[in-house]
Amino acid sequence: MLPDNVLSSDSQQADFLLPIKSSKVTDLEWGGVAVQDTSQGLRVKIWQAYLDGDNVMIVAPEVPPTVLFSAAGITELALAFDQNMRPAVAYRQSGTAKLWWYDSTIADMTVTDFGDCRDLHLTLDDNRPNQISVSDIIFGYIRDNALYYRQQRDRYETEYLLSAVAQDLTMMGMMTNQRMGFSFTTLSTLSDDIALVDSRNNPALDLDYLDLIPQQAAYSAAYGVNTLSDKQQLGTTYLRSAESKTPSMVNIGLVLNGADYDYLMAFYRVWRYRCRPFYVSLKLDDGVLTKYKCHFMPKSVRLDNKSGMAYTVSATLEVLSNPDDADADLSLIVARNPDA
């Protein structure tokens, strides 16, 4: 059972005891030596559920494939075993989530409908021998972009909300730290991030604009060049111009208040999601604040220090060079070389 029927407030990261599901119509689950055989416990071998036409099958090492039941139009299934090593299967049939399970009140298998649910997962939350008496089959799923679960001890009649902003449920089960885990993603946070980024974008630009000015004294640049070199046989080097400059690598630093720090983190998450360049204003080529197209270098955004309400952040940008103004450059050089 889940304490207080809620997710832990302190996220505990660990690997699952079983691989993450690779298909909606196959599932793996730890179980005993045979169906309705608990003589060696419930963590003896890994069982697989799969579809064979309209037949829902289970199989395990040294156990031949067995038909559990048949139903047409199944697009998802998930497998679990109860405390007596009886199989239970959650499945989605023609858009309706259903659960095939052993109902002790009728001493037989039954099917319960749960309506329009998806990303179905099923597991016995703790199959260790000393925990069987307090264990539950947990039925997890997504409905209306929220994560819910039901449990065996309630006869699956009570629905518990775990997250109101879940987009999908990719895995559920016991983890290597002996805790019950849920792996899911939320898009509501990303939607909020996009709204925050868009609210500070420059409408004149066709890409996102990072509405923050890095501290001029806190960044350095390794400038890209458009000069190629060829070593000659006599030891001299022949230089020639390439068609375009290589990008410049620019290390930036920012000191931000809480609101701007939240904005930067939202911007970074949106950048990772969209995977496209953005604009930022820098003083590079001529000391004038100029917009440049750039990318974050992966894993380069760092919170270096937090003091009170001030956040010190550093990052590395790959900056694309703006077109050179050759005439302006030549005029500046001539102005400094009057006798040339």
Side-chain angles (χ1 to χ4, degrees):
M1 61 181 294
L2 272 66
D4 301 320
N5 302 311
V6 297
L7 295 173
S8 171
S9 59
D10 181 19
S11 178
Q12 301 290 321
Q13 301 294 324
D15 293 330
F16 287 95
L17 291 178
L18 288 169
I20 292 178
K21 291 182 67 169
S22 60
S23 169
K24 293 284 189 181
V25 291
T26 62
D27 197 19
L28 301 175
E29 180 74 337
W30 281 101
V33 65
V35 172
Q36 298 188 49
D37 185 346
T38 62
S39 60
Q40 299 180 42
L42 296 177
R43 202 180 286 186
V44 179
K45 59 180 67 176
I46 295 176
W47 292 69
Q48 182 182 30
Y50 64 97
L51 277 180
D52 182 7
D54 292 339
N55 296 323
V56 176
M57 313 287 295
I58 57 169
V59 67
E62 302 177 357
V63 179
T66 303
V67 179
L68 294 181
F69 61 91
S70 299
I74 292 179
T75 56
E76 293 186 40
L77 61 82
L79 173 68
F81 295 99
D82 68 14
Q83 296 81 355
N84 294 305
M85 195 49 202
R86 287 182 291 245
V89 175
Y91 62 101
R92 195 166 190 238
Q93 181 185 28
S94 302
T96 298
K98 300 181 179 183
L99 181 63
W100 180 81
W101 60 289
Y102 182 81
D103 185 349
S104 59
T105 64
I106 61 173
D108 202 355
M109 304 303 294
T110 189
V111 175
T112 304
D113 291 8
F114 294 100
D116 186 13
C117 306
R118 58 181 174 83
D119 293 1
L120 311 181
H121 289 259
L122 202 65
T123 191
L124 187 65
D125 59 0
D126 198 334
N127 54 22
R128 292 174 293 179
N130 62 343
Q131 298 295 317
I132 290 299
S133 63
V134 295
S135 64
D136 263 310
I137 291 182
I138 301 296
F139 175 31
Y141 53 88
I142 299 293
R143 181 174 59 79
D144 295 331
N145 286 335
L147 172 60
Y148 296 92
Y149 86 95
R150 298 172 184 262
Q151 59 189 11
Q152 176 189 7
R153 70 182 56 224
D154 300 329
R155 303 183 72 252
Y156 309 104
E157 293 176 352
T158 303
E159 183 179 66
Y160 299 97
L161 174 65
L162 289 178
S163 174
V165 293
Q167 173 65 17
D168 55 37
L169 176 61
T170 57
M171 187 61 182
M172 183 188 82
M174 181 65 77
M175 301 185 294
T176 55
N177 60 1
Q178 305 305 322
R179 294 171 65 99
M180 178 71 179
F182 296 82
S183 177
F184 62 96
T185 59
T186 61
L187 282 187
S188 63
T189 300
L190 182 58
S191 299
D192 293 342
D193 290 343
I194 292 174
L196 178 56
V197 170
D198 289 347
S199 71
R200 295 179 62 166
N201 269 341
N202 186 326
L205 303 176
D206 59 350
L207 294 174
D208 295 330
Y209 173 69
L210 180 58
D211 185 30
L212 296 170
I213 306 299
Q215 304 292 312
Q216 187 176 0
Y219 63 79
S220 60
Y223 292 101
V225 297
N226 64 338
T227 302
L228 303 178
S229 63
D230 296 315
K231 196 71 174 178
Q232 303 300 301
Q233 291 183 352
L234 297 178
T236 59
T237 299
Y238 170 68
L239 301 178
R240 54 194 173 89
S241 177
E243 293 183 0
S244 60
K245 287 184 178 180
T246 58
S248 300
M249 306 304 295
V250 181
N251 299 313
I252 64 170
L254 302 118
V255 179
L256 307 172
N257 59 30
D260 281 345
Y261 177 74
D262 290 342
Y263 164 71
L264 175 63
M265 292 298 99
F267 192 98
Y268 184 58
R269 289 189 292 266
V270 170
W271 170 79
R272 288 188 305 183
Y273 169 70
R274 289 177 171 168
C275 294
R276 67 184 189 187
F278 59 91
Y279 286 101
V280 66
S281 294
L282 299 169
K283 292 183 179 180
L284 287 182
D285 293 332
D286 54 10
V288 177
L289 205 59
T290 304
K291 292 183 180 64
Y292 291 88
K293 189 181 292 186
C294 63
H295 275 296
F296 286 112
M297 291 299 294
K299 301 180 180 180
S300 72
V301 177
R302 299 176 299 276
L303 175 61
D304 296 322
N305 184 51
K306 181 182 183 299
S307 178
M309 296 302 294
Y311 297 78
T312 302
V313 179
S314 59
T316 301
L317 304 177
E318 183 181 69
V319 179
L320 301 179
S321 299
N322 292 332
D324 290 330
D325 188 341
D327 291 338
D329 289 343
L330 183 59
S331 297
L332 180 60
I333 293 172
V334 170
R336 298 289 293 269
N337 292 270
D339 299 327

